[in-house]
Amino acid sequence: MTGNRFGKLIIQIPCFNEAGQLPAMLAELPREVPGFDRVEWLVIDDGSTDGTAEVARAHGVDHIARHEVNRGLARGFMTGLEAALRHGADVIVNTDADNQYDSSCIPDLVAPILAGEARMVVGARPIREHEGFSPVKKALQMLGSWVVRRASGTSVPDAPSGFRAISRSLAMRLYVFNNHTYTLETIIQAGRLNEPVTSVPVRVNPATRESRLIKSMLGYIQRSAITIIRIFILYRPLRFFTTIAVVMALPGMLAFVRFLFFYLQGAGGGHIQSLVIGATLIAAGVVTMIGGLLADLVAANRMLLAEVRSRLLAAELERARIGGAGETPNGHR
């Protein structure tokens, strides 16, 4: 198998108050990866108050993007993608600041992109054997991955994994609408854009602290359920609302048939409640179906807006490239 060679790989690390964790994590990051001429590091400081940015600079991080206030992991991820693109990344690897993922797996992660087999590669953790995951979390992780596979048409076994490689062309087309997490939504977007997505097995390191995203198991279950439902509403609205419409309208039709049966026997007057209930449920089903059609139109419009954004970003990056090429080493034209 013949692989391509790229100019620059940028490894991005979203951070929020990670001054204590960052040095050990950066010590594990590679400065050379086969298939790339350069490897650079990018830290996204998401409104940290503990000097994360200063620690990053002191440990050789090449680029720092900063939010003045904490905007959440999903916003940090998107800020990182755009910053990496502006710094000329051909491939972007996203990893966590808590050193959850084994950085020695990065060459495996980018290999399918180098080979031209994928535009996004997701690192699949050994979830069933992961000692840091409770049985409930393992079940929710697998359920979330199943939902993403259904919604995206991909075969990614560990959709919630944040350890992933993304090509430049796909990074320009991605946009996260969810404020909480980017992991599921970006896979669904890539699948719906007919971009090849694959996964490779990766190793994980022992946990060094409790997860900041999971305050309690009940909260994690609630947030996971909301995220899964929201995915179906955002990306499969017609199917989602049609299912609900059928569930509501079917009992209504049965109630209506019951009334009709008694009416034909001359006893309809005593079963008006069946008519009322049936008509109400059928009407609710019709209204829900109409809502599904409108939601489907909104989903199509959202995809168009994302495409417009990607073209504007591509044009901006091209102008910046041409402008940079027209400068002298001293920064003058």
Side-chain angles (χ1 to χ4, degrees):
M1 180 175 59
T2 302
N4 299 312
R5 187 166 186 87
F6 291 91
K8 185 182 293 187
L9 169 68
I10 290 186
I11 304 171
Q12 70 170 38
I13 312 110
C15 296
F16 175 60
N17 289 338
E18 296 287 4
Q21 298 284 333
L22 204 52
M25 188 270 168
L26 292 174
E28 301 295 325
L29 284 188
R31 275 299 186 179
E32 295 182 359
V33 173
F36 295 92
D37 295 329
R38 297 182 62 186
V39 177
E40 296 177 358
W41 302 343
L42 164 68
V43 159
I44 304 98
D45 182 1
D46 189 21
S48 299
T49 58
D50 67 344
T52 291
E54 289 72 20
V55 170
R57 290 191 188 95
H59 286 80
V61 170
D62 302 278
H63 313 289
I64 296 174
R66 192 169 193 279
H67 295 161
E68 292 300 322
V69 296
N70 181 252
R71 299 176 63 190
L73 184 58
R75 293 299 101 196
F77 173 80
M78 285 305 304
T79 295
L81 284 192
E82 293 188 7
L85 290 170
R86 290 189 171 93
H87 288 299
D90 295 297
V91 178
I92 303 162
V93 165
N94 184 82
T95 189
D96 285 356
D98 63 1
N99 206 28
Q100 172 188 173
Y101 304 106
D102 187 340
S103 297
S104 67
C105 295
I106 288 178
D108 298 329
L109 199 64
V110 300
I113 295 178
L114 289 169
E117 298 171 352
R119 297 281 192 275
M120 177 187 291
V121 185
V122 180
R125 297 164 293 181
I127 292 179
R128 295 181 184 275
E129 295 80 26
H130 200 307
E131 296 180 356
F133 288 177
S134 68
V136 174
K137 185 174 181 180
K138 290 179 181 179
L140 288 173
Q141 295 272 17
M142 290 187 285
L143 175 60
S145 297
W146 176 83
V147 169
V148 170
R149 289 195 294 272
R150 291 293 301 272
S152 66
T154 65
S155 58
V156 176
D158 185 13
S161 170
F163 194 34
R164 54 187 63 194
I166 305 169
S167 71
R168 180 181 181 85
S169 60
L170 177 56
M172 286 193 293
R173 304 182 71 187
L174 295 177
Y175 187 78
V176 177
F177 295 93
N178 191 321
N179 289 326
H180 167 57
T181 180
Y182 62 88
T183 55
L184 311 184
E185 193 168 345
T186 48
I187 295 173
I188 295 170
Q189 284 187 9
R192 289 173 66 86
L193 291 169
N194 293 319
E195 296 279 7
V197 179
T198 189
S199 65
V200 296
V202 296
R203 296 176 295 277
V204 295
N205 296 316
T208 56
R209 60 166 170 76
E210 294 293 326
S211 172
R212 293 175 178 173
L213 295 177
I214 304 175
K215 304 300 183 182
S216 68
M217 187 52 63
L218 180 61
Y220 180 71
I221 293 172
Q222 180 182 10
R223 184 173 291 180
S224 298
I226 292 173
T227 299
I228 289 170
I229 293 172
R230 192 170 185 269
I231 284 172
F232 274 117
I233 293 174
L234 283 175
Y235 293 101
R236 288 290 186 268
L238 189 57
R239 180 183 299 179
F240 179 82
F241 285 103
T242 297
T243 301
I244 295 177
V246 169
V247 169
M248 289 192 296
L250 187 58
M253 293 176 66
L254 294 175
F256 188 80
V257 169
R258 180 176 184 272
F259 167 79
L260 188 61
F261 173 78
F262 286 109
Y263 177 79
L264 293 176
Q265 290 186 336
H271 298 278
I272 294 296
Q273 67 273 22
S274 294
L275 177 62
V276 173
I277 293 172
T280 302
L281 290 174
I282 291 172
V286 170
V287 171
T288 302
M289 186 67 184
I290 293 172
L293 292 171
L294 294 175
D296 196 53
L297 292 174
V298 172
N301 185 60
R302 189 170 57 250
M303 294 299 291
L304 288 174
L305 290 174
E307 185 66 24
V308 169
R309 172 193 169 276
S310 71
R311 295 192 180 193
L312 291 173
L313 179 60
E316 177 189 339
L317 294 173
E318 180 64 16
R319 287 195 300 271
R321 184 188 69 80
I322 294 173
E327 294 181 353
T328 68
N330 292 326
H332 302 290
R333 294 189 181 280

